[in-house]
Amino acid sequence: MTEEHILRELNITDDVLAIFPYGSQVYGTANAESDSDFIIVMKSSMLKDGSFRSSSPKTNTDRTIQGVVYSRGGFANAVNDYDIAAHECLSLDEDKVIKNKWKFKVNNWNEKEMVKKVITKASASRHVADQQAKSFNKDRAKKGMFHALRILHFGLQLKEHGKIVNFGVCNDLYREFDKIALDDFDTRDYYKEFDDLLVNLRA
């Protein structure tokens, strides 16, 4: 998919610094019904509404393409704040990146701070999963717990390699989750795996 096609479909006309593919197309879990997700970084230091990041993704008419839009400053902040999505973008092989005209990088890598931010993000996702499970929204509970585990796995790769080297690390787990009937899913079944990952990250 070309830069021109993506921007035309999302009706983006201002200058763009970077377009990174994101989500299932990168992880290797996409199917025929999956949309194409992108993180798009604008040249401007702030978006037109004064924000650093769009509050909701931009979508095309048939919802086959989605783009989360950052300002240049917003994406730089996300990188330096160890936002896992931003680091997924920076970890992509060059041939996977649609466009990147700016050298985004962490100004001062701090492993302890990275681990702290990753754990905070994963713990928040696990909490949401638990709350959704209690409200009998098992589909959202399943997604939240899976995301929590994948964030921790990606965090371990950041700790070891300084980048994500295996985007498909949780694909077997994804297929395992997919096979579980919603009525049978219980977030508590994955607490031990979550806690073991925390121990490894903190080690």
Side-chain angles (χ1 to χ4, degrees), residues 47 49 51 53-59 63 66-70:
L47 301 180
D49 63 1
S51 66
R53 180 182 186 275
S54 57
S55 57
S56 58
K58 294 178 70 72
T59 61
R63 303 186 69 82
Q66 290 197 96
V68 176
V69 180
Y70 284 83

Side-chain angles (χ1 to χ4, degrees), residues 120-145 147-148 185 187 191:
T120 297
K121 179 76 171 179
S123 298
S125 186
R126 170 177 154 168
H127 175 72
V128 170
D130 285 335
Q131 295 302 111
Q132 295 294 340
K134 290 176 182 177
S135 300
F136 300 101
N137 294 321
K138 291 296 189 73
D139 185 48
R140 292 184 179 181
K142 187 188 287 191
K143 289 178 181 177
M145 195 67 201
H147 288 155
F185 183 77
T187 56
Y191 281 6

